[in-house]
Amino acid sequence: MGEPEAGGGEAPGRGHALAMDTLATLILIFVGAALINNFVLHYFVGICPFLGVSRRVDTAFGMGCAVTFVISIAALLNWTFTYFVLRPGAPLPAWVWAAAGGDPATQVDLSVLSYIIYIFVIASSVQLVEMYVRKFFPPLYRSFGVYLPLITTNCAILFACLEIMKHMQDPTKVWGLHEALALAVGGGIGFTLAISLMAGIREELDLCEVPRPLKGAGIALIVAGIMAMAFMGFTGVDKGVHAALSALLR
Amino acid sequence: MPSDQPTALERFINGILPENPIYRQLLGMCPVLAVTNGMKPAMTMAAATAFVLICANVMVSLIRGLLKPHLRILVFTLTIATFVTIADRLLAAYVYDMSKQLGPYVPLIIVNCIIISRCEICASKQGAGVAIADAFGMSLGFALALASIATVREILGSGTWLGLPVLPAGWPGWGIMVLPPGAFLTLGLLLGMAEWASQRRAAVKRQGGGTR
Amino acid sequence: MLITVALALAAGVLALLAIAMGYALGWANRRFYVEVDPKVEAVLAALPGANCGGCGFVGCSAYAEAVAKGDTAVNLCAPGGASCAQQLADIMGVALEESFPYRAVVHCSATRNERLQRTEYRGEQTCTSANLVAGVQGCIYGCLGIGDCAAACQYDAVHVVDGLSTIDYDKCIGCGACARACPRNIITMVPFKSERMLVVACSNQDAAADVRAVCMVGCIGCKACMRAAPDLITIEGALPSINYDNYDPTDETLQKVLEKCPRKRVLFVGRPTKAELAAVADEEMPEPVQADFKTTVDDTAWRG
C-alpha cells in the first residue's frame, strides 16, 4: 500500500526520499481537498446542509464535525472494499476467476457494483455510528447526533468515495489508504470551514435589511458565490506548496 | 386509496411550476449548480434524472406493500442506486464525451434529494399510475429549472446556446458565469426573482379576494 | 463463462455484504441498546412539541425526561395548558394542584406621542442595543418600542403599536420569550386568574415631577391605589406593585382601585368581556386572513 520500506542497509537515503515524497503527496492532497478544490465552493457537493444548517456558528460547526467524522469512516470502509473487490485488477475477483479456471489474460471487473455498495456501506456505517454514539457518548449524541441521519444522503460523502474510486481505476497507480484518508479528511475540514464561515456571515445578515424576495436561500447563495470567488484565489497554491515542500524536504 | 391524496393529473401539474423542485422546494441543488454551465450538459443531466426518477417511482410504488418503516429509506436508496448505475452505463456507452464532462455528478443522482423525497411522499403511498405522473411532472419541472439557469450561464458566459452562437462574436464572454461563483450568483438571483413573482401573486390574490 | 463467473461473483459479493451488514446492525441494535423509559415517550407524546422553552427546559424532550424522573412539576407547560398538565399528572400518577395560565403583561402604556423622545436613535435596531445608549428616550424605565419582544414571540402575540409593545391575549400562550427578550424587564408573567386582570401599566420609579417631565401618562407615585386596596398593592420606590397571590377576581376593591388612580395607570388587560363584545357587535370587523399551508408537499419537509 505504498508504505516506505525501511531501506535496509543498502539505500537508506532512498527510503527517506520515499517517505518525504509520500508526505508531500499527502499534504498536497489534503490542501487540495480543503482549500483549492473546496468540496462546497468548487465541486458543489453538500449544498443542502450548507444552506440548511448554516444559521448559527455552533450548529454549523457541529454539522461540519459530524460530516468530517462520517467521511473518514466511509472513506476507510469504501477504500478497503474497492481495493480488494471492486477495482479493475482486484485480488478477490482475480482469485475467483483463477479458481474457476479462467484465462489469466482477461479480468473480471466488478466496478459496476460500486455505486450500490458505496451507498449501502455509507448508510449502514452511519447507522452503526449513530447507535454507538447514542449508547456511549450521550452528550455528544445530543449535540450532533441529530445530524447523522441527514448526512447519509449528503452528496459530500458519496463524492469523496467517488473521487477515491477515480484514483483507483489505473492498476499501476492505485491510491493507498493514506491518500484516500487525506482526501476524505481534507474534504471534511474544507466543508467545515465553508459552512462555519457561511454561518458567521448569516448571523450578521440577520441584522441587515435583506430585500424580501432574497431572504433565506437567495441571499445565502449570493454570499456563497462571493465566497467561491474568494476561494478561487487559492488556485495555483498547489504549485507553491509543492515548491515549498520540495525545498523543505530535500 | 384515501380520497384526500392528490390525483395523477394534480401531481403532474404540481411538479412543473407550483412545487418546482428547485425554485419552490429547494431540493437537489448540487447538480443544478454543477452541470448548468452549458445547455447540453444540463439537458443530459435532466434526462438522466428523469429516467432514474420515473423508474425508481414505479419500482417503489410496486413494492410499497413490502416496505418496513425503519428500512424504507435504505430500500429507496438501493433502488435508486441500481437505476443510476444503469443510467451511468448507458450514458458512457452512447454519449461518452458528455458522460466524461458530467463526471461524478451522474452517480450523485443517487443522493439527489428530489428522488428520495418523491419516493417517500408519493410513490410509497400511491399506485404506479400516480407515481409515474408525479415523476413526469417533477422531471419536467427540474428540466425547466435547469434550462433556465443554463441558458443564463451559457449565453452570458460563452455567448452560445446549445453550442450555437447567439451573441455577436465581439461578446467578451463573462468567464465568471461558467465558473462556480457564477453558478451560485445566478441561482441566487433567479431564486430571488421566482420568490418575488410568487409574493406578488400572493399579494394580488389577497387584495382581490379578501375583505381586508 | 466470463459472464457467468462475473454475475455469480457480483451476486455473491452483494449477498455477502447484505448478510454481513444485517448481522452487524442486528448485533449493534442489541449491544448498543439504550433503555428508554416508556414514561418519557408517553410524556413526550402528551406534550405539544412546540419546543418553546417556556417550561424552563431546553426543549420538550428535556422536559419529558425531567418529568419522567419524577422531580419536576407537571404543570410547567404553558402551550399545553391545563389539559396537558392533567395528562401528565395521569401518566405520572400524581394529583394536580390548581394552576392558572400565565400570560405576559407589559408594564408600560405610553405610546410614542405620550413619551418624551430625546435624540433620533440610528444604531442597531434592537431594544437591547438602544438600551445601552443614553439619551434615546426621556423615560429610562419604559418601553423603547423597537420590538425585541415582537421578534422573540413565535406565536404572533406581541406587536409594537404606536411605539408601545402590545400583547394580543387571544394568541399569548405564556411561554415567556418576550419577558426574557425585554432588556428593561418591563414584561412580566402574570397568572391570569380571570380573563381580565388588573395590572400596573407603568415601570417608572421616579418622583412625580421627574415622571411628568418625561411622560404624559406615567405613574406619579401618589399611593391612592395602595390606600384603596392595602392587602393587594404595595409601593416600592414610587411605583405600586400588585401581589397576585392575594388577587381575587371577584373582589370589588379592584374596580375602586381603577377609579382612584388619577393617571389611569392601574388598568385591566386581557380578553374583552361579553358586555364589551356586545357593545361593538354592530361594527364591521375585518375577517382575519387564514393562511392555507396544505400543498402536496408533505409535512415531513425534506430539506436534503
Side-chain angles (χ1 to χ4, degrees):
Chain A
M1 292 195 222
E3 295 287 352
E5 300 109 8
E10 259 187 337
R14 204 171 143 264
H16 174 82
L18 200 60
M20 288 303 137
D21 213 17
T22 315
L23 186 61
T25 315
L26 287 181
I27 293 181
L28 277 168
I29 295 176
F30 183 86
V31 171
L35 292 177
I36 306 173
N37 295 329
N38 186 290
F39 272 18
V40 181
L41 298 171
H42 182 86
Y43 282 126
F44 310 111
V45 286
I47 295 287
C48 304
F50 183 67
L51 293 179
V53 187
S54 63
R55 291 220 171 247
R56 287 174 37 187
V57 179
D58 45 359
T59 53
F61 187 67
M63 178 65 160
C65 288
V67 166
T68 310
F69 182 52
V70 173
I71 274 193
S72 322
I73 295 186
L76 175 71
L77 290 171
N78 282 329
W79 179 89
T80 316
F81 231 89
T82 314
Y83 188 80
F84 291 108
V85 182
L86 290 174
R87 66 186 169 104
L92 181 69
W95 179 81
V96 170
W97 181 236
D103 173 15
T106 48
Q107 272 185 347
V108 176
D109 183 5
L110 287 182
S111 54
V112 71
L113 295 178
S114 307
Y115 305 154
I116 302 175
I117 291 187
Y118 285 171
I119 198 69
F120 184 55
V121 166
I122 292 172
S124 317
S125 58
V126 167
Q127 181 87 332
L128 277 169
V129 164
E130 187 194 344
M131 281 196 259
Y132 183 74
V133 169
R134 190 169 175 215
K135 173 88 173 174
F136 292 115
F137 303 103
L140 205 64
Y141 179 72
R142 266 192 286 273
S143 61
F144 82 76
V146 288
Y147 301 129
L148 287 176
L150 277 170
I151 296 176
T152 313
T153 55
N154 188 351
C155 319
I157 320 284
L158 188 61
F159 180 77
C161 297
L162 292 171
E163 282 290 296
I164 295 171
M165 177 180 95
K166 197 169 77 174
H167 288 274
M168 295 175 79
Q169 294 301 309
D170 183 356
T172 57
K173 271 191 338 171
V174 176
W175 262 16
L177 182 61
H178 51 303
E179 282 146 322
L181 281 178
L183 181 84
V185 174
I189 291 185
F191 177 83
T192 310
L193 184 67
I195 201 177
S196 307
L197 285 171
M198 179 58 117
I201 296 178
R202 278 184 103 171
E203 277 184 358
E204 299 291 326
L205 271 182
D206 276 343
L207 301 169
C208 299
E209 303 240 350
V210 178
R212 256 185 66 201
L214 286 176
K215 270 202 175 119
I219 194 71
L221 282 166
I222 295 177
V223 169
I226 301 176
M227 272 174 71
M229 270 196 267
F231 269 68
M232 269 172 69
F234 285 116
T235 322
V237 163
D238 54 341
K239 293 200 182 52
V241 173
H242 195 234
L245 284 173
S246 311
L248 198 64
L249 299 174
R250 286 287 173 259
Chain B
M1 199 185 306
S3 55
D4 60 345
Q5 297 269 24
T7 65
L9 189 62
E10 276 171 11
R11 288 269 192 214
F12 176 73
I13 295 183
N14 266 325
I16 305 180
L17 282 182
E19 267 146 49
N20 189 290
I22 309 291
Y23 286 123
R24 306 262 66 197
Q25 298 183 49
L26 297 177
L27 298 176
M29 298 290 213
C30 305
V32 167
L33 293 164
V35 308
T36 46
N37 46 2
M39 270 300 280
K40 276 210 191 116
M43 289 299 102
T44 316
M45 173 62 87
T49 311
F51 170 72
V52 174
L53 181 55
I54 294 168
C55 297
N57 254 18
V58 169
M59 179 65 91
V60 169
S61 167
L62 291 174
I63 64 172
R64 71 185 186 279
L66 306 168
L67 294 172
K68 298 245 178 306
H70 57 286
L71 285 179
R72 68 186 192 289
I73 302 287
L74 191 62
V75 170
F76 296 160
T77 319
L78 289 172
T79 316
I80 296 168
T82 317
F83 287 115
V84 167
T85 312
I86 298 174
D88 184 48
R89 294 294 96 204
L90 281 174
L91 280 179
Y94 290 113
V95 277
Y96 185 66
D97 294 323
M98 190 52 67
S99 161
K100 268 274 167 284
Q101 191 180 349
L102 288 177
Y105 294 105
V106 175
L108 283 181
I109 299 177
I110 301 175
V111 286
N112 189 334
C113 315
I114 301 176
I115 308 184
I116 299 187
S117 141
R118 293 335 287 173
C119 287
E120 161 87 14
I121 291 175
C122 172
S124 65
K125 300 193 175 122
Q126 296 185 269
V130 183
I132 292 184
D134 184 64
F136 266 108
M138 284 289 158
S139 311
L140 209 51
F142 187 65
L144 276 174
L146 279 182
S148 61
I149 299 170
T151 306
V152 171
R153 282 183 74 191
E154 190 177 0
I155 292 184
L156 289 177
S158 344
T160 60
W161 195 73
L162 272 175
L164 311 161
V166 293
L167 287 180
W171 178 255
W174 297 2
I176 199 82
M177 275 299 167
V178 292
L179 291 172
F184 284 112
L185 290 169
T186 313
L187 183 60
L189 290 169
L190 283 176
L191 258 177
M193 276 170 46
E195 254 314 293
W196 178 79
S198 87
Q199 279 170 9
R200 276 257 313 209
R201 259 212 348 257
V204 164
K205 229 170 33 171
R206 254 208 316 271
Q207 276 170 8
T211 52
R212 265 189 193 248
Chain C
M1 155 87 152
L2 179 66
I3 295 186
T4 328
V5 172
L7 277 175
L9 197 53
V13 164
L14 283 174
L16 270 174
L17 183 64
I19 294 173
M21 276 303 179
Y23 264 112
L25 284 169
W27 169 84
N29 204 15
R30 270 194 311 277
R31 173 83 172 77
F32 299 142
Y33 185 63
V34 175
E35 275 289 338
V36 178
D37 192 354
K39 279 211 193 111
V40 173
E41 305 212 354
V43 169
L44 199 55
L47 290 173
N51 281 319
C52 70
C55 52
F57 294 88
V58 174
C60 292
S61 33
Y63 182 50
E65 284 177 17
V67 167
K69 250 195 291 202
D71 55 6
T72 320
V74 297
N75 57 352
L76 292 178
C77 179
S83 61
C84 171
Q86 187 59 51
Q87 281 178 347
L88 294 193
D90 291 336
I91 295 171
M92 294 303 298
V94 296
L96 189 62
E97 324 90 43
E98 201 188 6
S99 64
F100 302 102
Y102 275 75
R103 305 236 174 89
V105 168
V106 180
H107 295 283
C108 179
S109 45
T111 60
R112 183 160 286 128
N113 299 330
E114 291 165 345
R115 32 179 217 257
L116 178 68
Q117 309 291 326
R118 287 203 193 282
T119 51
E120 190 193 348
Y121 175 63
R122 278 187 168 262
E124 187 180 331
Q125 294 298 315
T126 60
C127 298
T128 322
S129 305
N131 194 32
L132 298 171
V133 178
V136 171
Q137 187 171 283
C139 175
I140 60 170
Y141 304 90
C143 179
L144 284 161
I146 298 179
D148 275 10
C149 45
C153 180
Q154 311 278 354
Y155 300 92
D156 195 32
V158 185
H159 305 279
V160 176
V161 178
D162 279 339
L164 174 65
S165 165
T166 325
I167 312 271
D168 180 355
Y169 288 97
D170 283 324
K171 299 203 185 125
C172 175
I173 53 134
C175 68
C178 55
R180 283 189 293 269
C182 178
R184 291 192 162 178
N185 296 316
I186 59 169
I187 304 184
T188 61
M189 304 308 290
V190 167
F192 265 55
K193 296 184 176 176
S194 69
E195 285 299 328
R196 311 258 298 156
M197 293 290 285
L198 192 71
V199 302
V200 176
C202 180
S203 306
N204 197 317
Q205 299 171 6
D206 290 341
D210 297 327
V211 172
R212 270 199 261 259
V214 298
C215 181
M216 299 202 296
V217 295
C219 166
I220 51 172
C222 67
K223 303 195 177 117
C225 49
M226 187 192 76
R227 283 190 288 272
D231 299 326
L232 192 59
I233 297 183
T234 51
I235 303 280
E236 284 152 28
L239 189 67
S241 154
I242 296 181
N243 182 350
Y244 287 101
D245 289 336
N246 294 347
Y247 188 94
D248 179 8
T250 56
D251 197 346
E252 306 258 307
T253 51
L254 298 179
Q255 195 62 27
K256 226 171 48 161
V257 168
L258 179 75
E259 286 157 14
K260 286 283 183 201
C261 177
R263 303 278 273 181
K264 295 285 171 283
R265 280 313 101 192
V266 186
L267 331 151
F268 280 103
V269 296
R271 297 214 191 108
T273 61
K274 284 206 183 48
E276 286 160 4
L277 281 175
V280 296
D282 311 333
E283 291 178 24
E284 272 279 313
M285 299 293 272
E287 293 263 326
V289 177
Q290 298 293 337
D292 176 19
F293 292 111
K294 269 296 167 212
T295 63
T296 55
V297 178
D298 206 69
D299 288 343
T300 57
W302 263 90
R303 293 284 172 255

PDB file of all heavy atoms in Angstrom, chain A residues 214-240:
ATOM      1  N   LEU A 214     -35.177  38.007  -1.579  1.00  0.00           N
ATOM      2  CA  LEU A 214     -33.894  37.329  -1.453  1.00  0.00           C
ATOM      3  C   LEU A 214     -33.673  36.717  -0.088  1.00  0.00           C
ATOM      4  O   LEU A 214     -32.680  36.053   0.132  1.00  0.00           O
ATOM      5  CB  LEU A 214     -32.753  38.314  -1.732  1.00  0.00           C
ATOM      6  CG  LEU A 214     -32.543  38.694  -3.195  1.00  0.00           C
ATOM      7  CD1 LEU A 214     -31.456  39.739  -3.292  1.00  0.00           C
ATOM      8  CD2 LEU A 214     -32.167  37.491  -4.020  1.00  0.00           C
ATOM      9  N   LYS A 215     -34.604  36.924   0.845  1.00  0.00           N
ATOM     10  CA  LYS A 215     -34.372  36.437   2.212  1.00  0.00           C
ATOM     11  C   LYS A 215     -34.257  34.922   2.222  1.00  0.00           C
ATOM     12  O   LYS A 215     -34.963  34.234   1.517  1.00  0.00           O
ATOM     13  CB  LYS A 215     -35.540  36.838   3.111  1.00  0.00           C
ATOM     14  CG  LYS A 215     -35.369  38.155   3.770  1.00  0.00           C
ATOM     15  CD  LYS A 215     -36.245  38.289   5.023  1.00  0.00           C
ATOM     16  CE  LYS A 215     -35.913  39.597   5.708  1.00  0.00           C
ATOM     17  NZ  LYS A 215     -37.013  40.515   5.819  1.00  0.00           N
ATOM     18  N   GLY A 216     -33.355  34.429   3.029  1.00  0.00           N
ATOM     19  CA  GLY A 216     -33.235  32.980   3.152  1.00  0.00           C
ATOM     20  C   GLY A 216     -32.259  32.427   2.145  1.00  0.00           C
ATOM     21  O   GLY A 216     -31.083  32.760   2.155  1.00  0.00           O
ATOM     22  N   ALA A 217     -32.744  31.598   1.228  1.00  0.00           N
ATOM     23  CA  ALA A 217     -31.844  30.893   0.319  1.00  0.00           C
ATOM     24  C   ALA A 217     -31.198  31.829  -0.693  1.00  0.00           C
ATOM     25  O   ALA A 217     -30.030  31.662  -1.044  1.00  0.00           O
ATOM     26  CB  ALA A 217     -32.602  29.786  -0.409  1.00  0.00           C
ATOM     27  N   GLY A 218     -31.945  32.834  -1.164  1.00  0.00           N
ATOM     28  CA  GLY A 218     -31.412  33.712  -2.201  1.00  0.00           C
ATOM     29  C   GLY A 218     -30.135  34.414  -1.779  1.00  0.00           C
ATOM     30  O   GLY A 218     -29.098  34.331  -2.442  1.00  0.00           O
ATOM     31  N   ILE A 219     -30.196  35.091  -0.639  1.00  0.00           N
ATOM     32  CA  ILE A 219     -29.024  35.848  -0.195  1.00  0.00           C
ATOM     33  C   ILE A 219     -27.908  34.894   0.213  1.00  0.00           C
ATOM     34  O   ILE A 219     -26.726  35.195   0.020  1.00  0.00           O
ATOM     35  CB  ILE A 219     -29.418  36.823   0.950  1.00  0.00           C
ATOM     36  CG1 ILE A 219     -28.306  37.837   1.166  1.00  0.00           C
ATOM     37  CG2 ILE A 219     -29.710  36.105   2.229  1.00  0.00           C
ATOM     38  CD1 ILE A 219     -28.180  38.831   0.061  1.00  0.00           C
ATOM     39  N   ALA A 220     -28.290  33.717   0.737  1.00  0.00           N
ATOM     40  CA  ALA A 220     -27.251  32.749   1.116  1.00  0.00           C
ATOM     41  C   ALA A 220     -26.475  32.301  -0.109  1.00  0.00           C
ATOM     42  O   ALA A 220     -25.242  32.182  -0.067  1.00  0.00           O
ATOM     43  CB  ALA A 220     -27.883  31.544   1.807  1.00  0.00           C
ATOM     44  N   LEU A 221     -27.174  32.090  -1.234  1.00  0.00           N
ATOM     45  CA  LEU A 221     -26.476  31.656  -2.448  1.00  0.00           C
ATOM     46  C   LEU A 221     -25.592  32.761  -2.993  1.00  0.00           C
ATOM     47  O   LEU A 221     -24.488  32.516  -3.479  1.00  0.00           O
ATOM     48  CB  LEU A 221     -27.492  31.220  -3.494  1.00  0.00           C
ATOM     49  CG  LEU A 221     -28.072  29.841  -3.243  1.00  0.00           C
ATOM     50  CD1 LEU A 221     -29.291  29.627  -4.096  1.00  0.00           C
ATOM     51  CD2 LEU A 221     -27.049  28.774  -3.542  1.00  0.00           C
ATOM     52  N   ILE A 222     -26.069  34.007  -2.918  1.00  0.00           N
ATOM     53  CA  ILE A 222     -25.243  35.102  -3.420  1.00  0.00           C
ATOM     54  C   ILE A 222     -23.980  35.226  -2.573  1.00  0.00           C
ATOM     55  O   ILE A 222     -22.870  35.410  -3.091  1.00  0.00           O
ATOM     56  CB  ILE A 222     -26.055  36.413  -3.437  1.00  0.00           C
ATOM     57  CG1 ILE A 222     -27.194  36.283  -4.446  1.00  0.00           C
ATOM     58  CG2 ILE A 222     -25.184  37.595  -3.757  1.00  0.00           C
ATOM     59  CD1 ILE A 222     -28.097  37.479  -4.500  1.00  0.00           C
ATOM     60  N   VAL A 223     -24.140  35.120  -1.257  1.00  0.00           N
ATOM     61  CA  VAL A 223     -22.963  35.156  -0.382  1.00  0.00           C
ATOM     62  C   VAL A 223     -22.033  33.994  -0.703  1.00  0.00           C
ATOM     63  O   VAL A 223     -20.807  34.157  -0.751  1.00  0.00           O
ATOM     64  CB  VAL A 223     -23.403  35.111   1.093  1.00  0.00           C
ATOM     65  CG1 VAL A 223     -22.214  34.870   1.990  1.00  0.00           C
ATOM     66  CG2 VAL A 223     -24.082  36.400   1.463  1.00  0.00           C
ATOM     67  N   ALA A 224     -22.619  32.810  -0.973  1.00  0.00           N
ATOM     68  CA  ALA A 224     -21.790  31.663  -1.329  1.00  0.00           C
ATOM     69  C   ALA A 224     -21.027  31.929  -2.604  1.00  0.00           C
ATOM     70  O   ALA A 224     -19.864  31.528  -2.746  1.00  0.00           O
ATOM     71  CB  ALA A 224     -22.662  30.414  -1.492  1.00  0.00           C
ATOM     72  N   GLY A 225     -21.658  32.642  -3.561  1.00  0.00           N
ATOM     73  CA  GLY A 225     -20.964  32.969  -4.798  1.00  0.00           C
ATOM     74  C   GLY A 225     -19.747  33.847  -4.538  1.00  0.00           C
ATOM     75  O   GLY A 225     -18.669  33.647  -5.100  1.00  0.00           O
ATOM     76  N   ILE A 226     -19.922  34.819  -3.649  1.00  0.00           N
ATOM     77  CA  ILE A 226     -18.792  35.701  -3.339  1.00  0.00           C
ATOM     78  C   ILE A 226     -17.708  34.919  -2.612  1.00  0.00           C
ATOM     79  O   ILE A 226     -16.508  35.095  -2.853  1.00  0.00           O
ATOM     80  CB  ILE A 226     -19.283  36.908  -2.531  1.00  0.00           C
ATOM     81  CG1 ILE A 226     -20.331  37.663  -3.347  1.00  0.00           C
ATOM     82  CG2 ILE A 226     -18.136  37.826  -2.180  1.00  0.00           C
ATOM     83  CD1 ILE A 226     -20.953  38.813  -2.642  1.00  0.00           C
ATOM     84  N   MET A 227     -18.138  34.020  -1.718  1.00  0.00           N
ATOM     85  CA  MET A 227     -17.152  33.169  -1.040  1.00  0.00           C
ATOM     86  C   MET A 227     -16.404  32.298  -2.041  1.00  0.00           C
ATOM     87  O   MET A 227     -15.195  32.097  -1.940  1.00  0.00           O
ATOM     88  CB  MET A 227     -17.839  32.265  -0.017  1.00  0.00           C
ATOM     89  CG  MET A 227     -17.995  32.863   1.339  1.00  0.00           C
ATOM     90  SD  MET A 227     -18.967  31.811   2.426  1.00  0.00           S
ATOM     91  CE  MET A 227     -17.850  30.483   2.721  1.00  0.00           C
ATOM     92  N   ALA A 228     -17.145  31.779  -3.050  1.00  0.00           N
ATOM     93  CA  ALA A 228     -16.497  30.941  -4.057  1.00  0.00           C
ATOM     94  C   ALA A 228     -15.457  31.747  -4.817  1.00  0.00           C
ATOM     95  O   ALA A 228     -14.372  31.246  -5.133  1.00  0.00           O
ATOM     96  CB  ALA A 228     -17.542  30.365  -5.012  1.00  0.00           C
ATOM     97  N   MET A 229     -15.792  33.016  -5.108  1.00  0.00           N
ATOM     98  CA  MET A 229     -14.814  33.875  -5.773  1.00  0.00           C
ATOM     99  C   MET A 229     -13.575  34.034  -4.917  1.00  0.00           C
ATOM    100  O   MET A 229     -12.446  34.007  -5.411  1.00  0.00           O
ATOM    101  CB  MET A 229     -15.436  35.244  -6.043  1.00  0.00           C
ATOM    102  CG  MET A 229     -16.123  35.336  -7.380  1.00  0.00           C
ATOM    103  SD  MET A 229     -16.418  37.025  -7.854  1.00  0.00           S
ATOM    104  CE  MET A 229     -18.055  37.260  -7.233  1.00  0.00           C
ATOM    105  N   ALA A 230     -13.799  34.202  -3.598  1.00  0.00           N
ATOM    106  CA  ALA A 230     -12.651  34.355  -2.710  1.00  0.00           C
ATOM    107  C   ALA A 230     -11.796  33.103  -2.716  1.00  0.00           C
ATOM    108  O   ALA A 230     -10.568  33.167  -2.775  1.00  0.00           O
ATOM    109  CB  ALA A 230     -13.152  34.660  -1.297  1.00  0.00           C
ATOM    110  N   PHE A 231     -12.454  31.935  -2.669  1.00  0.00           N
ATOM    111  CA  PHE A 231     -11.696  30.691  -2.645  1.00  0.00           C
ATOM    112  C   PHE A 231     -10.999  30.422  -3.961  1.00  0.00           C
ATOM    113  O   PHE A 231     -10.051  29.631  -4.011  1.00  0.00           O
ATOM    114  CB  PHE A 231     -12.618  29.514  -2.285  1.00  0.00           C
ATOM    115  CG  PHE A 231     -12.681  29.238  -0.815  1.00  0.00           C
ATOM    116  CD1 PHE A 231     -13.286  30.140   0.042  1.00  0.00           C
ATOM    117  CD2 PHE A 231     -12.129  28.093  -0.278  1.00  0.00           C
ATOM    118  CE1 PHE A 231     -13.346  29.901   1.398  1.00  0.00           C
ATOM    119  CE2 PHE A 231     -12.186  27.844   1.088  1.00  0.00           C
ATOM    120  CZ  PHE A 231     -12.794  28.748   1.922  1.00  0.00           C
ATOM    121  N   MET A 232     -11.486  31.058  -5.056  1.00  0.00           N
ATOM    122  CA  MET A 232     -10.780  30.891  -6.316  1.00  0.00           C
ATOM    123  C   MET A 232      -9.373  31.453  -6.214  1.00  0.00           C
ATOM    124  O   MET A 232      -8.500  31.089  -7.001  1.00  0.00           O
ATOM    125  CB  MET A 232     -11.533  31.627  -7.443  1.00  0.00           C
ATOM    126  CG  MET A 232     -12.536  30.763  -8.148  1.00  0.00           C
ATOM    127  SD  MET A 232     -13.546  31.709  -9.280  1.00  0.00           S
ATOM    128  CE  MET A 232     -12.353  32.128 -10.513  1.00  0.00           C
ATOM    129  N   GLY A 233      -9.157  32.326  -5.254  1.00  0.00           N
ATOM    130  CA  GLY A 233      -7.821  32.858  -5.051  1.00  0.00           C
ATOM    131  C   GLY A 233      -6.810  31.798  -4.677  1.00  0.00           C
ATOM    132  O   GLY A 233      -5.608  32.029  -4.759  1.00  0.00           O
ATOM    133  N   PHE A 234      -7.311  30.628  -4.236  1.00  0.00           N
ATOM    134  CA  PHE A 234      -6.373  29.571  -3.871  1.00  0.00           C
ATOM    135  C   PHE A 234      -5.838  28.816  -5.076  1.00  0.00           C
ATOM    136  O   PHE A 234      -4.986  27.935  -4.930  1.00  0.00           O
ATOM    137  CB  PHE A 234      -7.050  28.556  -2.941  1.00  0.00           C
ATOM    138  CG  PHE A 234      -7.229  29.047  -1.546  1.00  0.00           C
ATOM    139  CD1 PHE A 234      -8.491  29.216  -1.013  1.00  0.00           C
ATOM    140  CD2 PHE A 234      -6.138  29.333  -0.751  1.00  0.00           C
ATOM    141  CE1 PHE A 234      -8.664  29.663   0.282  1.00  0.00           C
ATOM    142  CE2 PHE A 234      -6.299  29.784   0.542  1.00  0.00           C
ATOM    143  CZ  PHE A 234      -7.566  29.944   1.061  1.00  0.00           C
ATOM    144  N   THR A 235      -6.356  29.110  -6.282  1.00  0.00           N
ATOM    145  CA  THR A 235      -5.867  28.399  -7.468  1.00  0.00           C
ATOM    146  C   THR A 235      -4.386  28.656  -7.630  1.00  0.00           C
ATOM    147  O   THR A 235      -3.936  29.792  -7.552  1.00  0.00           O
ATOM    148  CB  THR A 235      -6.589  28.919  -8.724  1.00  0.00           C
ATOM    149  OG1 THR A 235      -7.933  29.173  -8.389  1.00  0.00           O
ATOM    150  CG2 THR A 235      -6.522  27.913  -9.837  1.00  0.00           C
ATOM    151  N   GLY A 236      -3.640  27.598  -7.888  1.00  0.00           N
ATOM    152  CA  GLY A 236      -2.213  27.789  -8.056  1.00  0.00           C
ATOM    153  C   GLY A 236      -1.440  27.664  -6.761  1.00  0.00           C
ATOM    154  O   GLY A 236      -0.220  27.624  -6.770  1.00  0.00           O
ATOM    155  N   VAL A 237      -2.178  27.571  -5.629  1.00  0.00           N
ATOM    156  CA  VAL A 237      -1.492  27.401  -4.356  1.00  0.00           C
ATOM    157  C   VAL A 237      -0.783  26.056  -4.317  1.00  0.00           C
ATOM    158  O   VAL A 237       0.253  25.906  -3.671  1.00  0.00           O
ATOM    159  CB  VAL A 237      -2.517  27.523  -3.207  1.00  0.00           C
ATOM    160  CG1 VAL A 237      -1.969  26.965  -1.918  1.00  0.00           C
ATOM    161  CG2 VAL A 237      -2.896  28.971  -3.023  1.00  0.00           C
ATOM    162  N   ASP A 238      -1.349  25.079  -5.057  1.00  0.00           N
ATOM    163  CA  ASP A 238      -0.720  23.753  -5.006  1.00  0.00           C
ATOM    164  C   ASP A 238       0.699  23.808  -5.562  1.00  0.00           C
ATOM    165  O   ASP A 238       1.597  23.130  -5.046  1.00  0.00           O
ATOM    166  CB  ASP A 238      -1.582  22.719  -5.739  1.00  0.00           C
ATOM    167  CG  ASP A 238      -1.907  23.143  -7.152  1.00  0.00           C
ATOM    168  OD1 ASP A 238      -1.787  24.346  -7.448  1.00  0.00           O
ATOM    169  OD2 ASP A 238      -2.286  22.283  -7.949  1.00  0.00           O
ATOM    170  N   LYS A 239       0.917  24.623  -6.609  1.00  0.00           N
ATOM    171  CA  LYS A 239       2.282  24.721  -7.141  1.00  0.00           C
ATOM    172  C   LYS A 239       3.211  25.319  -6.093  1.00  0.00           C
ATOM    173  O   LYS A 239       4.332  24.859  -5.894  1.00  0.00           O
ATOM    174  CB  LYS A 239       2.302  25.591  -8.393  1.00  0.00           C
ATOM    175  CG  LYS A 239       1.583  24.976  -9.561  1.00  0.00           C
ATOM    176  CD  LYS A 239       2.020  25.594 -10.877  1.00  0.00           C
ATOM    177  CE  LYS A 239       1.265  25.006 -12.039  1.00  0.00           C
ATOM    178  NZ  LYS A 239      -0.194  25.043 -11.866  1.00  0.00           N
ATOM    179  N   GLY A 240       2.713  26.353  -5.400  1.00  0.00           N
ATOM    180  CA  GLY A 240       3.541  26.980  -4.386  1.00  0.00           C
ATOM    181  C   GLY A 240       3.854  26.022  -3.254  1.00  0.00           C
ATOM    182  O   GLY A 240       4.990  25.945  -2.775  1.00  0.00           O
TER     183      GLY A 240
END
